[in-house]
Amino acid sequence: MIKSYFIFLFLCLITLNTKAQNPNWSVNTASYQYSMTFTSFLNIDGRTLTSLDDTVAAIVNDEIRGVSSVEYVASLNKYVTYLSVFANTDNETISFKIYDSTNDNVIDVVKNQDFIIDGNIGGILQSFSIAKPALNAGAILNSFAFSGVTSTSQTITNNKIDIVLPFETNLTNLIVDFSLSDGASFLVDNEKQTSGVSKQDFTNPVIYKVLSEDESKLIAYEVNVTIETESSNPSEIVLTSDFGLFVNKAPLLINLETSTPLTNLLKETISVTNAIVLSVEKNNDLNYSIQIVPIQQGEFSIELPKNSVQSTGDVGNLASNKLVFNYDIVNPYVLSTKRNNPIDEITDNDTLEFIVIFSEAVENVSVTDFESVSDSEIALTKETDSKYIVTITNIDDIKGAVSLNIKETNSIKDKASNVLLNSVINPHQN
């Protein structure tokens, strides 16, 4: 009885002290000519793996092609793996398995990567994520403000944030409130910030970076904070138009609303690209009508940069919003048509399928815009804004050429409302 007790106790002690062991993953590097490297991090169910016994394996054609364990990088307080993957040919598909030592479990990761000879993916800051489930790739700054301080104005353009704070605000110790895409991180000098907690000196511009949860995207924002002077009252200018993004007529009428009267709004003070300012008409102290004309086809825009005009007291304006348009006066047309199925010119099929490609993106394309031989039936499938599949059926009794035409009167237009040039699609022998 005593002997049995000691055997049982011995087995219990072995069980309690047994450490979870990595699976028997290994790779014979001498069998392969080429390699590529990954700097990656491992994540299971939203938990980044931090044990030095946690391991990742790269799999190609059910073979182990690379193995690496987690390492700690003190400079960024981060756990990564330096994974080398080996192959003899380019473009092989790599999949991944993770060994989670905490739970003594091997997990298949639903993520693939093509092998690139001498390729290098990921870095210490932006590591390649190997995770199950996949992490969020969004890197969006939804909001940015200061705790306890209401800004006088704020503009965000081209990843640049300009903020004006009330007179006598202390810029040296401001607490930032922000919101980001799910799981994303907000960084200053690669140090993670906490909304409502982290403090920053904004005496000079500060570069913030939004890093997506999966670390695939890193977007930088330059934040410039200024203090309004005691007597300043900068004009807030808003530009509006009844025109949409695509236009085919000129001139365009732009409406300008200002929060304070302006003293020097002239054609020369308005910033336009690929356009000229035709006229500026003052309707009242706070409203103007501006006419602009695009110079040539393509994108054109209008805006008033910061301090381009002044209000009473020679106080410059805040930057206006930017209106962007696309000038298009070219009518769309049928660029090409090709028999898709069957491809033989002469056929006895009851169904003919054509690929119709327009010269640009078009709208309002419907089956009623097409016509063919008498009693035939037409079906339409949109593949892209400029590519359509047209199917003709019920033609088994037809002997001779089967034509497919676009009706002279149709509803097809491009995004700028230019109507379709009349086109006849070549007939095909049936």
Side-chain angles (χ1 to χ4, degrees):
M1 179 66 180
I2 294 175
K3 182 178 180 182
S4 298
Y5 171 78
F6 279 111
I7 292 174
F8 174 76
L9 178 61
F10 176 72
L11 292 174
C12 288
L13 289 173
I14 290 176
T15 301
L16 290 173
N17 288 281
T18 297
K19 187 177 183 180
Q21 297 296 312
N22 287 354
N24 188 24
W25 288 338
S26 63
V27 57
N28 182 7
T29 60
S31 299
Y32 304 99
Q33 292 181 304
Y34 307 111
S35 67
M36 73 177 295
T37 59
F38 295 83
T39 301
S40 61
F41 70 98
L42 313 180
N43 188 287
I44 300 298
D45 295 329
R47 173 178 59 90
T48 296
L49 303 191
T50 59
S51 171
L52 302 187
D53 293 318
D54 295 327
T55 308
V56 61
I59 313 296
V60 177
N61 297 328
D62 296 324
E63 296 177 351
I64 303 294
R65 295 289 186 87
V67 180
S68 179
S69 296
V70 168
E71 297 183 28
Y72 177 63
V73 180
S75 60
L76 286 180
N77 188 29
K78 186 175 181 181
Y79 293 86
V80 300
T81 69
Y82 301 102
L83 175 64
S84 294
V85 181
F86 301 89
N88 288 321
T89 59
D90 207 3
N91 294 321
E92 288 190 309
T93 300
I94 307 168
S95 60
F96 303 92
K97 293 179 183 288
I98 294 175
Y99 173 67
D100 178 4
S101 63
T102 301
N103 297 305
D104 194 16
N105 191 23
V106 174
I107 298 97
D108 290 317
V109 177
V110 184
K111 182 170 187 174
N112 294 327
Q113 175 66 44
D114 289 341
F115 181 86
I116 304 170
I117 295 175
D118 296 330
N120 182 26
I121 296 180
I124 298 299
L125 178 60
Q126 273 186 274
S127 304
F128 180 75
S129 70
I130 302 177
K132 184 176 182 180
L135 301 178
N136 187 9
I140 300 174
L141 175 60
N142 295 317
S143 65
F144 186 97
F146 298 111
S147 295
V149 182
T150 301
S151 62
T152 301
S153 67
Q154 181 181 107
T155 58
I156 302 178
T157 55
N158 297 327
N159 293 30
K160 184 177 180 180
I161 304 174
D162 292 303
I163 301 176
V164 179
L165 297 183
F167 177 65
E168 293 186 340
T169 302
N170 183 2
L171 298 184
T172 62
N173 200 29
L174 292 172
I175 298 175
V176 177
D177 291 324
F178 57 85
S179 63
L180 312 169
S181 305
D182 289 344
S185 300
F186 210 30
L187 309 174
V188 175
D189 294 331
N190 296 335
E191 183 176 337
K192 188 173 182 179
Q193 306 294 294
T194 303
S195 180
V197 175
S198 297
K199 298 179 181 180
Q200 190 65 43
D201 183 354
F202 287 91
T203 304
N204 297 305
V206 179
I207 303 298
Y208 281 87
K209 295 179 181 178
V210 181
L211 180 65
S212 63
E213 185 181 36
D214 69 354
E215 300 188 6
S216 64
K217 294 180 182 176
L218 183 67
I219 300 177
Y221 290 85
E222 178 183 302
V223 180
N224 295 281
V225 182
T226 56
I227 301 297
E228 65 176 356
T229 62
E230 189 172 14
S231 59
S232 67
N233 190 20
S235 298
E236 296 182 15
I237 296 175
V238 178
L239 302 175
T240 58
S241 173
D242 291 334
F243 290 86
L245 175 61
F246 292 90
V247 297
N248 63 358
K249 297 179 181 179
L252 273 69
L253 182 63
I254 308 297
N255 185 65
L256 182 149
E257 295 282 348
T258 175
S259 60
T260 59
L262 305 176
T263 59
N264 65 331
L265 179 62
L266 303 172
K267 291 192 291 184
E268 294 77 15
T269 59
I270 300 170
S271 177
V272 290
T273 58
N274 190 31
I276 60 173
V277 179
L278 191 63
S279 65
V280 177
E281 181 179 348
K282 181 178 179 179
N283 300 319
N284 55 55
D285 284 345
L286 301 179
N287 181 267
Y288 291 78
S289 294
I290 303 169
Q291 285 190 320
I292 63 173
V293 177
I295 296 174
Q296 60 185 3
Q297 287 254 126
E299 185 176 283
F300 65 101
S301 64
I302 178 173
E303 62 184 321
L304 267 75
K306 184 178 180 179
N307 296 328
S308 58
V309 293
Q310 283 77 44
S311 57
T312 304
D314 293 330
V315 178
N317 65 290
L318 301 175
S320 76
N321 59 310
K322 183 178 183 179
L323 296 181
V324 179
F325 306 92
N326 196 297
Y327 187 49
D328 180 5
I329 58 173
V330 176
N331 296 82
Y333 57 89
V334 175
L335 184 65
S336 68
T337 177
K338 182 174 67 175
R339 175 88 73 81
N340 189 44
N341 186 27
I343 60 174
D344 296 330
E345 183 69 17
I346 299 177
T347 178
D348 59 0
N349 275 29
D350 184 40
T351 300
L352 298 179
E353 184 178 275
F354 299 86
I355 297 177
V356 179
I357 299 178
F358 294 91
S359 59
E360 58 179 299
V362 291
E363 299 176 336
N364 304 327
V365 182
S366 70
V367 69
T368 58
D369 293 321
F370 295 86
E371 60 183 0
S372 185
V373 294
S374 178
D375 296 328
S376 64
E377 296 180 3
I378 300 176
L380 182 69
T381 302
K382 175 181 175 181
E383 290 208 342
T384 68
D385 285 342
S386 61
K387 181 179 180 181
Y388 293 78
I389 304 298
V390 181
T391 304
I392 303 175
T393 57
N394 197 30
I395 56 173
D396 52 341
D397 293 332
I398 303 299
K399 304 298 181 184
V402 176
S403 62
L404 174 64
N405 301 324
I406 294 180
K407 295 178 180 177
E408 183 176 353
T409 301
N410 59 74
S411 58
I412 303 173
K413 300 178 180 180
D414 65 15
K415 293 183 180 297
S417 295
N418 297 304
V419 299
L420 182 73
L421 292 176
N422 288 336
S423 302
V424 177
I425 301 176
N426 295 331
H428 292 261
Q429 191 71 30
N430 197 36

